[in-house]
Amino acid sequence: AQSVTQLGSHVSVSEGALVLLRCNYSSSVPPYLFWYVQYPNQGLQLLLKYTSAATLVKGINGFEAEFKKSETSFHLTKPSAHMSDAAEYFCAVSDQGGSEKLVFGKGTKLTVNP
Amino acid sequence: EAGVAQSPRYKIIEKRQSVAFWCNPISGHATLYWYQQILGQGPKLLIQFQNNGVVDDSQLPKDRFSAERLKGVDSTLKIQPAKLEDSAVYLCASSVMAFLTDTQYFGPGTRLTVL
C-alpha cells in the first residue's frame, strides 16, 4: 500500500527566503504525486501534480516540485516566499493503475515571517 | 464557475446524536468524494461515487456512517450515532471523472464537534 511522509509538521521562513517542503513516498508501483494547499477554513486546492511526464513539475503561485525516483521524493519548492504563502501543505500519492485512491500525508504548516 | 458547496459549515452535537452533511459538486462532475480530516492529519477518503454508484467505501465505518448520491448530483453523508472520535472536518470533493489525473476540487468542509 502506498504512503506519504512529510518531514516537519511546521516550517517557518522569512519573506523572500526559499521555501522547501519535504515529501517522501512509498509505493509498490510508479506513483502519481500531488501537492495541495489548504488556507484556514478553506478546502484543499491543487498546487501541482506529477503524472509520469516531466520530472520537474511547475504549479500555481510560483511553486514547483521535482520527482526523484532514486530518492522516492517529491519535495515542493518556491524560490521566494510571500506572506500569502502561509498555509498548510499536503503531499499525496496514488498508485498508477492501482486503487486510484489518494493517500495524503499529515501536512506541513508553513509560516512566513515579515 | 461555482465551486463545490457544502453545508452546514459548522455543527456541534452531543455523542450518540445523528448528523447529516450535504454536498453539491461542480456541475458536470461525475465523481464525488467524501473525506474525513481529523485535526493534525491529512484527509482520509471515506467514500467515492461515480455518478450515483459507489466506487470505493472501504474506509467508511458502515456501522454508523452512510452516504448517498441520488440522481448522481448532490450527496449526503450521515453519522448515526456520533462518537467523540468523529470530531473532524468533513470535506467533499468532485472531479470530472474518476481518473487520478483529473483534478479534485474541494469544498470548504463541515467542521463537526462531538461533545
Side-chain angles (χ1 to χ4, degrees), chain A residues 59-110:
Chain A
I60 61 172
N61 301 338
F63 284 92
E64 63 181 37
E66 186 172 7
F67 171 66
K68 292 187 177 180
K69 184 179 178 180
S70 60
E71 298 177 7
T72 61
S73 69
F74 191 58
H75 301 331
L76 181 71
T77 61
K78 181 174 181 178
S80 177
H82 191 273
M83 297 295 290
S84 61
D85 294 327
E88 189 151 22
Y89 293 79
F90 293 91
C91 182
V93 65
S94 180
D95 292 339
Q96 294 186 31
S99 67
E100 300 194 355
K101 179 166 57 188
L102 276 183
V103 175
F104 285 85
K106 292 187 176 183
T108 297
K109 186 173 183 178
L110 175 67

Side-chain angles (χ1 to χ4, degrees), chain B:
Chain B
E1 178 182 80
V4 176
Q6 291 188 247
S7 67
R9 291 295 312 276
Y10 305 91
K11 190 74 176 179
I12 300 174
I13 62 173
E14 301 278 338
K15 60 182 178 182
R16 291 188 290 273
Q17 285 187 323
S18 302
V19 65
F21 313 127
W22 173 82
C23 173
N24 181 241
I26 293 173
S27 177
H29 282 195
T31 308
L32 185 147
Y33 312 79
W34 282 102
Y35 288 88
Q36 181 191 57
Q37 185 177 17
I38 292 174
L39 185 65
Q41 298 183 22
K44 180 183 80 171
L45 180 69
L46 292 176
I47 189 167
Q48 176 183 342
F49 292 95
Q50 179 72 14
N51 295 309
N52 60 354
V54 175
V55 173
D56 186 341
D57 64 356
S58 58
Q59 300 189 107
L60 186 74
K62 299 180 186 64
D63 57 335
R64 298 183 300 106
F65 285 65
S66 64
E68 60 182 8
R69 190 184 184 196
L70 300 177
K71 302 181 181 179
V73 181
D74 293 6
S75 177
T76 302
L77 176 69
K78 297 180 181 178
I79 307 175
Q80 180 179 3
K83 293 185 175 181
L84 296 177
E85 59 261 36
D86 298 331
S87 293
V89 176
Y90 291 85
L91 295 165
C92 179
S94 69
S95 62
V96 175
M97 291 295 287
F99 305 120
L100 274 192
T101 51
D102 289 339
T103 298
Q104 293 186 27
Y105 294 87
F106 285 78
T110 296
R111 183 178 298 275
L112 173 67
T113 301
V114 182
L115 303 176

